[in-house]
Amino acid sequence: MNELDCDSLYDNAPCGMLVTTSDGKIEVANATFCSWLGYSFPQLQLKKFQELLTVGGRVFHQTHWVPLLQLQGSVSEVQMEMLHSDGSRIPVLINAIRRVRDNCPYDEIAIFVATDRKKYEKEIILSRRQAEQSLQQLASAKEQLQQLNEQLSIADRRKDEFLATLAHELRNPLAPMRNVVEVMGSLDTDHGVTQWATKILSRQVQQMTHLLDDLMDISRISNGRVELRKAYIDLVDLVNSSVEMARPQIEARGHSLQLEIPNNPVYSLADETRLTQVIINLLNNSAKYTPLNGHIHLRFSVNDKVATLCVSDNGIGFEPDEINALFNIFTQLENGVDYAEGGLGIGLSLVKGFVELHDGTICAHSKGPNQGSQFIVTLPIVEPTSVSSVPPQPVEPTNTAKRILIIDDNEDAANSLALLLEMQGHVTATAYSGSDGIIQSSSYNADVILLDIGLPDMSGYDIARTLRKALTANTLLIATTGWGQQKDIDMALEAGFDAHLTKPLDLGKLVTLIS
């Protein structure tokens, strides 16, 4: 590069450059600096560097600039303001270094207009403030989310408590109703109206009991508290028995039922009670949402270690885009409201939950409204060789009369249950409070004690602990209560009960326990 090129590069550099003596007299200044300040070079030669600064800049020059150059020989990135020839101020960033030539100190100075830098710094400050605000908002959002989660947890716990209390309060009046129905069913009567009324009462009590059980089951599924009691079961037997339990509702609506069920056993490791609920719910659902005198088809098949249950009908069907909503809790499709018959909309949600707990799948199909529905359930199966070939031997009930003490503050429930048991040949006594029950148990010499938990004067758990200290090991202590959650069962067993039955009592289970 020749000398002319170097002079041009210096003169038109993108920063102002000048050389001053140590006292500030300007010796050299490039064209860039001259144009920024509005002076010609000859004009600048008549000035000192500090004269181009504002009053505050001159003070800084005297108190800081000069001492720093003397001590360390340089000044870096000093922000100041310089005066334009028209009196306006120019923000600048200055770097200086002191060099000695021919035994004379000179200051070489580079100056950058800082307008863009200040804008950049303002942007940085603004961005930092925005970031800080965002972080504050995020922290606030997290705090609100935590509060909402706590509120949801409280609401969910209260919902569970409400459902449990509701189930308990509804089960208490259902208990004497079922007992009376059982008594009426046991009477020898040829009166057609009596038989008809008894069957209606029996069906409605059973329906109410199923609704309560479904409510509690869906709550347990939602909270992940369902414990399956799995065993090796024959799915063919289970399907056949489930069909028989659902058949009365199907026939009541005049539907025809077509079955395709293999004869050979098909085994699965499953909870028999829960899968029975699944099949009954699907069949009842088809019966309910199919107009009178319709057709229901159940096909059960096995392929590649998977059992498939398909329940189809020619009922009201649904729109294809409504499939996902079918399995949501408390959901009833618009075209099915007239057929719901007061249902809660939890049956299919319950089915889905139980199927998935068995590592199975469920799906639904329909070509549209009034074109029928199809529900397909798949379940894993096991090889017959892994199932014990020796079936469990049923316990034969004995007909020996037992002395039974019933402790329940609901007199209707206690008296109706006592009458039902006496009709089966047992001897009974009743007590309507915990304290009276403890007194009677000391002299009655009961073989079986049926003890309610929610008594007005004492907790059934405390009574059980008290009785266990005086009773013989052969006395059967059974909790009979409207509280039916798993924690209630666990508390009953810990208190010394031998068994836990939920109201309204299942007479078959009670008879088996007593036998």
Side-chain angles (χ1 to χ4, degrees):
M1 184 178 291
N2 57 40
E3 185 176 349
L4 180 62
D5 292 334
C6 289
D7 290 343
S8 177
L9 181 62
Y10 173 82
D11 215 28
N12 298 293
C15 64
M17 291 188 289
L18 61 157
V19 178
T20 70
T21 60
S22 60
D23 62 355
K25 185 178 181 296
I26 298 174
E27 296 286 336
V28 178
N30 69 350
T32 300
F33 184 73
C34 293
S35 65
W36 281 353
L37 269 65
Y39 292 103
S40 65
F41 178 62
Q43 290 175 316
L44 289 175
Q45 285 181 307
L46 300 176
K47 295 179 178 290
K48 288 186 176 183
F49 173 72
Q50 54 268 35
E51 294 174 5
L52 301 174
L53 303 175
T54 61
V55 174
R58 291 174 190 176
V59 173
F60 179 83
H61 181 273
Q62 184 64 31
T63 58
H64 292 78
W65 181 282
V66 173
L68 283 172
L69 284 175
Q70 289 174 346
L71 289 172
Q72 64 185 29
S74 65
V75 176
S76 300
E77 296 189 356
V78 176
Q79 292 189 50
M80 304 178 71
E81 287 185 328
M82 302 193 76
L83 295 173
H84 193 273
S85 61
D86 63 7
S88 62
R89 298 184 176 200
I90 303 172
V92 295
L93 184 68
I94 304 174
N95 290 287
I97 187 168
R98 177 162 289 183
R99 300 183 191 278
V100 178
R101 296 193 189 93
D102 299 330
N103 295 321
C104 292
Y106 291 91
D107 295 337
E108 298 174 358
I109 303 172
I111 298 175
F112 302 85
V113 175
T115 305
D116 292 339
R117 176 187 175 91
K118 286 194 173 183
K119 289 182 180 178
Y120 176 68
E121 289 174 345
K122 288 180 180 178
E123 289 294 332
I124 290 178
I125 293 172
L126 180 61
S127 298
R128 184 178 66 190
R129 287 176 181 171
Q130 291 175 342
E132 289 173 350
Q133 290 176 353
S134 297
L135 287 173
Q136 290 175 352
Q137 291 173 354
L138 179 61
S140 177
K142 285 183 177 179
E143 184 178 353
Q144 291 178 359
L145 181 61
Q146 184 176 359
Q147 292 175 354
L148 286 173
N149 284 335
E150 290 175 356
Q151 292 173 4
L152 286 173
S153 296
I154 293 172
D156 188 59
R157 185 167 61 252
R158 287 176 178 171
K159 180 258 298 178
D160 287 344
E161 292 171 354
F162 168 76
L163 287 177
T165 303
L166 176 65
H168 173 265
E169 294 303 317
L170 291 177
R171 279 172 173 151
N172 275 331
L174 279 176
M177 290 170 63
R178 172 174 277 184
N179 293 339
V180 170
V181 168
E182 293 288 351
V183 169
M184 293 173 63
S186 300
L187 296 176
D188 292 328
T189 176
D190 295 329
H191 200 296
V193 174
T194 302
Q195 294 178 353
W196 170 79
T198 302
K199 289 180 180 179
I200 289 179
L201 285 173
S202 178
R203 283 199 301 269
Q204 297 308 313
V205 169
Q206 186 177 25
Q207 177 68 6
M208 280 290 293
T209 304
H210 285 165
L211 285 174
L212 287 173
D213 291 340
D214 285 354
L215 268 177
M216 298 311 299
D217 282 337
I218 202 67
S219 176
R220 283 190 283 264
I221 289 176
S222 299
N223 291 281
R225 295 200 299 263
V226 173
E227 293 184 8
L228 298 182
R229 299 176 180 177
K230 290 187 174 182
Y232 290 109
I233 61 174
D234 181 2
L235 293 179
V236 171
D237 284 345
L238 183 138
V239 171
N240 282 320
S241 62
S242 300
V243 167
E244 292 310 308
M245 283 186 272
R247 193 181 291 277
Q249 182 167 344
I250 295 173
E251 293 178 347
R253 295 184 59 83
H255 301 317
S256 62
L257 177 62
Q258 180 183 356
L259 301 176
E260 291 184 43
I261 304 174
N263 295 321
N264 297 328
V266 176
Y267 294 102
S268 179
L269 183 60
D271 186 316
E272 182 175 2
T273 301
R274 300 310 189 187
L275 286 189
T276 299
Q277 284 179 266
V278 167
I279 299 171
I280 291 176
N281 265 320
L282 290 177
L283 288 171
N284 287 346
N285 197 68
S286 285
K288 181 187 297 184
Y289 293 101
T290 299
L292 297 178
N293 303 313
H295 177 72
I296 298 173
H297 181 198
L298 181 147
R299 184 177 69 256
F300 181 69
S301 59
V302 178
N303 184 30
D304 194 24
K305 297 183 179 180
V306 174
T308 301
L309 176 77
C310 178
V311 177
S312 57
D313 58 61
N314 60 343
I316 64 173
F318 50 86
E319 295 285 359
D321 60 0
E322 295 177 325
I323 291 177
N324 292 332
L326 284 173
F327 299 101
N328 293 338
I329 187 173
F330 304 130
T331 295
Q332 289 180 347
L333 302 184
E334 185 175 350
N335 66 332
V337 173
D338 293 338
Y339 293 85
E341 299 176 357
L344 298 175
I346 62 177
L348 290 178
S349 179
L350 197 66
V351 166
K352 183 175 185 290
F354 284 148
V355 168
E356 291 178 348
L357 285 173
H358 282 86
D359 299 321
T361 64
I362 182 169
C363 60
H365 302 284
S366 178
K367 295 180 180 179
N370 302 316
Q371 298 191 60
S373 304
Q374 184 181 65
F375 291 86
I376 302 174
V377 173
T378 65
L379 295 167
I381 62 174
V382 296
E383 295 295 333
T385 53
S386 61
V387 182
S388 174
S389 59
V390 181
Q393 298 299 317
V395 177
E396 292 294 333
T398 63
N399 295 322
T400 306
K402 300 292 192 301
R403 295 175 61 82
I404 302 174
L405 173 61
I406 302 168
I407 306 174
D408 196 324
D409 63 310
N410 186 325
E411 294 187 21
D412 288 340
N415 295 337
S416 59
L417 181 58
L419 174 59
L420 184 60
L421 293 172
E422 287 172 0
M423 291 176 66
Q424 295 186 358
H426 301 294
V427 180
T428 68
T430 56
Y432 308 126
S433 67
S435 55
D436 187 28
I438 292 175
I439 293 172
Q440 287 203 48
S441 67
S442 62
S443 58
Y444 186 65
N445 193 27
D447 300 305
V448 180
I449 298 178
L450 303 178
L451 173 59
D452 186 21
I453 298 297
L455 295 168
D457 58 338
M458 299 176 67
S459 163
Y461 302 122
D462 293 334
I463 297 173
R465 294 185 185 97
T466 301
L467 292 179
R468 269 295 166 219
K469 296 176 182 178
L471 295 175
T472 66
N474 293 328
T475 303
L476 183 65
L477 186 58
I478 302 175
T480 58
T481 173
W483 301 106
Q485 298 189 72
Q486 185 59 45
K487 66 177 182 180
D488 303 313
I489 299 173
D490 295 338
M491 289 174 63
L493 297 179
E494 290 173 3
F497 284 99
D498 297 298
H500 177 285
L501 292 179
T502 305
K503 294 179 179 178
L505 304 184
D506 184 320
L507 183 61
K509 290 182 180 178
L510 179 59
V511 169
T512 300
L513 285 172
I514 293 175
S515 298

